[in-house]
Coordinates of all heavy atoms in Angstrom, one line a residue:
G304 N 98.2 116.7 95.2 CA 98.6 117.8 94.4 C 97.9 119.1 94.8 O 96.9 119.1 95.5
G305 N 98.4 120.2 94.2 CA 97.7 121.4 94.5 C 98.6 122.6 94.2 O 99.7 122.5 93.5
L306 N 98.3 123.7 94.7 CA 99.0 125.0 94.5 C 99.9 125.3 95.8 O 99.3 125.2 96.9 CB 98.1 126.1 94.2 CG 98.7 127.5 94.1 CD1 99.7 127.6 92.9 CD2 97.7 128.6 94.0
V307 N 101.1 125.5 95.6 CA 102.0 125.8 96.7 C 103.0 126.9 96.2 O 103.4 127.0 95.0 CB 102.8 124.6 97.1 CG1 103.7 124.0 96.0 CG2 103.6 124.8 98.4
Q308 N 103.4 127.7 97.2 CA 104.4 128.8 96.9 C 105.8 128.2 96.8 O 106.1 127.1 97.4 CB 104.4 129.9 97.9 CG 103.1 130.7 97.9 CD 103.2 131.8 98.9 OE1 103.7 131.7 100.0 NE2 102.6 133.0 98.5
A309 N 106.7 128.8 96.0 CA 108.1 128.4 95.9 C 108.7 128.3 97.3 O 108.5 129.2 98.2 CB 108.9 129.3 95.1
G310 N 109.4 127.2 97.6 CA 110.0 127.0 98.9 C 109.2 126.2 99.8 O 109.6 125.7 100.8
G311 N 107.9 126.0 99.4 CA 107.0 125.2 100.2 C 107.2 123.7 100.0 O 108.0 123.2 99.3
S312 N 106.3 122.9 100.6 CA 106.3 121.5 100.6 C 105.0 120.9 100.3 O 103.9 121.5 100.6 CB 106.8 120.9 101.9 OG 108.1 121.4 102.2
L313 N 105.0 119.7 99.7 CA 103.8 118.9 99.4 C 104.2 117.5 99.6 O 105.3 117.1 99.4 CB 103.3 119.1 98.0 CG 102.5 120.4 97.7 CD1 102.2 120.4 96.2 CD2 101.2 120.5 98.5
R314 N 103.2 116.7 100.0 CA 103.4 115.2 100.0 C 102.3 114.6 99.1 O 101.1 114.7 99.3 CB 103.3 114.6 101.4 CG 103.7 113.2 101.4 CD 103.7 112.5 102.8 NE 102.3 112.2 103.2 CZ 102.0 111.4 104.2 NH1 103.0 110.7 104.8 NH2 100.8 111.2 104.6
L315 N 102.8 113.9 98.1 CA 101.9 113.2 97.2 C 101.8 111.8 97.6 O 102.7 111.2 98.1 CB 102.5 113.2 95.7 CG 102.8 114.6 95.1 CD1 103.2 114.4 93.7 CD2 101.6 115.5 95.2
S316 N 100.6 111.2 97.4 CA 100.3 109.9 97.8 C 99.8 109.1 96.6 O 99.2 109.7 95.7 CB 99.3 109.8 98.9 OG 99.7 110.4 100.1
C317 N 100.1 107.8 96.5 CA 99.7 107.0 95.4 C 99.2 105.7 96.1 O 99.9 104.9 96.6 CB 100.8 106.7 94.5 SG 100.4 105.5 93.2
A318 N 97.9 105.5 96.0 CA 97.2 104.3 96.6 C 97.0 103.3 95.5 O 96.5 103.6 94.4 CB 95.9 104.7 97.3
A319 N 97.4 102.0 95.8 CA 97.3 101.0 94.8 C 96.3 99.9 95.3 O 96.2 99.6 96.4 CB 98.7 100.3 94.6
S320 N 95.6 99.4 94.3 CA 94.6 98.4 94.6 C 95.3 97.0 94.6 O 96.5 96.9 94.1 CB 93.5 98.3 93.5 OG 94.0 98.0 92.2
G321 N 94.7 96.0 95.2 CA 95.2 94.7 95.2 C 96.0 94.4 96.5 O 96.2 95.2 97.3
R322 N 96.5 93.1 96.5 CA 97.2 92.7 97.7 C 98.6 92.4 97.5 O 99.3 91.9 98.4 CB 96.5 91.4 98.2 CG 95.0 91.5 98.6 CD 94.4 90.2 99.0 NE 93.0 90.3 99.3 CZ 92.3 89.3 99.7 NH1 92.8 88.1 99.8 NH2 91.0 89.5 100.0
T323 N 99.1 92.7 96.3 CA 100.5 92.4 95.9 C 101.3 93.6 95.8 O 102.3 93.6 95.0 CB 100.5 91.6 94.6 OG1 99.9 92.3 93.6 CG2 99.9 90.2 94.8
F324 N 101.0 94.7 96.5 CA 101.7 96.0 96.3 C 103.2 95.8 96.6 O 104.0 96.5 96.0 CB 101.1 97.0 97.3 CG 101.8 98.3 97.3 CD1 101.6 99.2 96.2 CD2 102.6 98.7 98.3 CE1 102.2 100.4 96.2 CE2 103.2 99.9 98.3 CZ 103.0 100.8 97.3
S325 N 103.5 95.0 97.6 CA 104.9 94.9 98.0 C 105.8 94.2 96.9 O 107.0 94.2 97.0 CB 105.0 94.1 99.3 OG 104.5 92.7 99.1
T326 N 105.2 93.6 95.9 CA 106.0 93.0 94.8 C 106.3 94.0 93.7 O 107.0 93.7 92.8 CB 105.2 91.8 94.2 OG1 104.0 92.3 93.5 CG2 104.7 90.9 95.3
Y327 N 105.8 95.2 93.8 CA 106.0 96.2 92.7 C 107.0 97.2 93.0 O 107.1 97.8 94.1 CB 104.7 96.9 92.4 CG 103.5 96.1 92.0 CD1 102.3 96.2 92.6 CD2 103.6 95.2 91.0 CE1 101.2 95.4 92.3 CE2 102.6 94.4 90.6 CZ 101.4 94.5 91.2 OH 100.3 93.7 90.9
V328 N 107.9 97.4 92.1 CA 108.7 98.6 92.1 C 107.8 99.8 91.8 O 107.0 99.7 90.9 CB 109.9 98.5 91.1 CG1 110.6 99.9 91.0 CG2 110.9 97.4 91.5
M329 N 108.0 100.9 92.6 CA 107.1 102.0 92.4 C 108.0 103.2 91.9 O 109.1 103.4 92.3 CB 106.4 102.4 93.6 CG 105.5 101.3 94.2 SD 104.2 100.9 93.0 CE 103.2 102.4 93.0
G330 N 107.3 104.1 91.1 CA 108.0 105.2 90.6 C 107.2 106.4 90.5 O 105.9 106.3 90.4
W331 N 107.8 107.6 90.5 CA 107.1 108.8 90.2 C 107.7 109.5 89.0 O 108.9 109.6 88.8 CB 107.2 109.8 91.4 CG 106.3 109.5 92.5 CD1 106.7 108.9 93.7 CD2 105.0 109.8 92.7 NE1 105.6 108.8 94.5 CE2 104.5 109.3 93.9 CE3 104.0 110.5 91.9 CZ2 103.2 109.5 94.4 CZ3 102.7 110.6 92.3 CH2 102.3 110.1 93.6
F332 N 106.8 109.9 88.1 CA 107.2 110.7 86.9 C 106.4 112.0 86.9 O 105.5 112.2 87.6 CB 106.9 109.9 85.6 CG 107.8 108.6 85.5 CD1 107.5 107.5 86.2 CD2 108.8 108.6 84.6 CE1 108.3 106.4 86.1 CE2 109.6 107.5 84.4 CZ 109.3 106.4 85.2
R333 N 106.9 112.9 86.0 CA 106.2 114.1 85.9 C 106.2 114.6 84.4 O 107.1 114.3 83.7 CB 106.7 115.2 86.8 CG 108.1 115.7 86.4 CD 108.6 116.7 87.5 NE 110.0 117.1 87.2 CZ 110.7 117.9 88.0 NH1 110.2 118.3 89.2 NH2 111.9 118.2 87.7
Q334 N 105.2 115.4 84.1 CA 105.2 116.0 82.7 C 104.7 117.4 82.8 O 103.6 117.7 83.2 CB 104.2 115.2 81.9 CG 104.2 115.6 80.4 CD 103.4 114.7 79.5 OE1 102.5 113.9 80.0 NE2 103.7 114.8 78.2
A335 N 105.6 118.3 82.5 CA 105.3 119.7 82.5 C 104.7 120.1 81.2 O 104.8 119.4 80.2 CB 106.6 120.5 82.7
S336 N 104.0 121.2 81.2 CA 103.3 121.7 80.0 C 104.3 121.8 78.8 O 105.3 122.5 78.9 CB 102.6 123.0 80.2 OG 102.0 123.5 79.1
G337 N 104.0 121.2 77.7 CA 104.8 121.3 76.5 C 106.1 120.4 76.5 O 106.9 120.5 75.6
K338 N 106.3 119.6 77.6 CA 107.5 118.8 77.7 C 107.1 117.3 77.8 O 105.9 117.0 78.1 CB 108.3 119.2 78.9 CG 108.8 120.6 78.8 CD 109.7 120.9 80.0 CE 110.3 122.3 80.0 NZ 111.1 122.6 81.2
E339 N 108.0 116.5 77.6 CA 107.7 115.0 77.6 C 107.8 114.6 79.1 O 108.4 115.2 79.9 CB 108.7 114.2 76.8 CG 110.2 114.4 77.2 CD 111.1 113.7 76.2 OE1 110.7 113.4 75.0 OE2 112.3 113.4 76.6
R340 N 107.2 113.4 79.3 CA 107.2 112.8 80.7 C 108.7 112.5 81.1 O 109.4 111.9 80.2 CB 106.3 111.6 80.7 CG 106.1 111.1 82.1 CD 105.1 109.9 82.0 NE 103.8 110.4 81.5 CZ 102.7 109.6 81.3 NH1 102.8 108.3 81.6 NH2 101.6 110.1 80.9
E341 N 109.0 112.7 82.3 CA 110.4 112.4 82.7 C 110.4 111.7 84.1 O 109.4 111.9 84.9 CB 111.2 113.7 82.8 CG 110.8 114.7 83.9 CD 111.7 115.9 84.0 OE1 112.8 115.8 83.5 OE2 111.3 116.9 84.7
F342 N 111.4 111.0 84.3 CA 111.6 110.3 85.6 C 111.9 111.2 86.7 O 112.6 112.2 86.5 CB 112.7 109.2 85.4 CG 113.2 108.7 86.8 CD1 112.5 107.8 87.5 CD2 114.4 109.2 87.3 CE1 113.0 107.3 88.7 CE2 114.9 108.8 88.5 CZ 114.2 107.8 89.2
V343 N 111.3 111.0 87.9 CA 111.6 111.8 89.1 C 112.2 110.9 90.2 O 113.2 111.3 90.7 CB 110.3 112.5 89.6 CG1 110.6 113.3 90.8 CG2 109.7 113.4 88.5
A344 N 111.5 109.8 90.5 CA 112.0 109.0 91.7 C 111.5 107.6 91.5 O 110.5 107.4 90.9 CB 111.6 109.6 93.0
T345 N 112.2 106.7 92.2 CA 111.8 105.3 92.2 C 112.2 104.7 93.5 O 113.1 105.1 94.2 CB 112.3 104.5 91.0 OG1 111.8 103.2 91.0 CG2 113.9 104.4 91.1

């Protein structure tokens, strides 16, 4: 994460502990200021 200008790009990473990572469905959610958490991708 970080600061980026509109139109730019970022790549977020999520590192998981353990040896069973391949058994998990993974998802990304986000929460904007003053708003509830929402689904983004899975």
Side-chain angles (χ1 to χ4, degrees):
L306 176 64
V307 64
Q308 292 184 324
S312 299
L313 284 174
R314 189 177 77 160
L315 305 184
S316 299
C317 175
S320 64
R322 302 177 181 177
T323 58
F324 178 74
S325 63
T326 69
Y327 301 129
V328 171
M329 301 297 297
W331 284 100
F332 292 76
R333 67 185 178 187
Q334 185 169 22
S336 180
K338 298 182 179 180
E339 62 185 20
R340 188 176 299 178
E341 66 175 349
F342 163 79
V343 178
T345 185

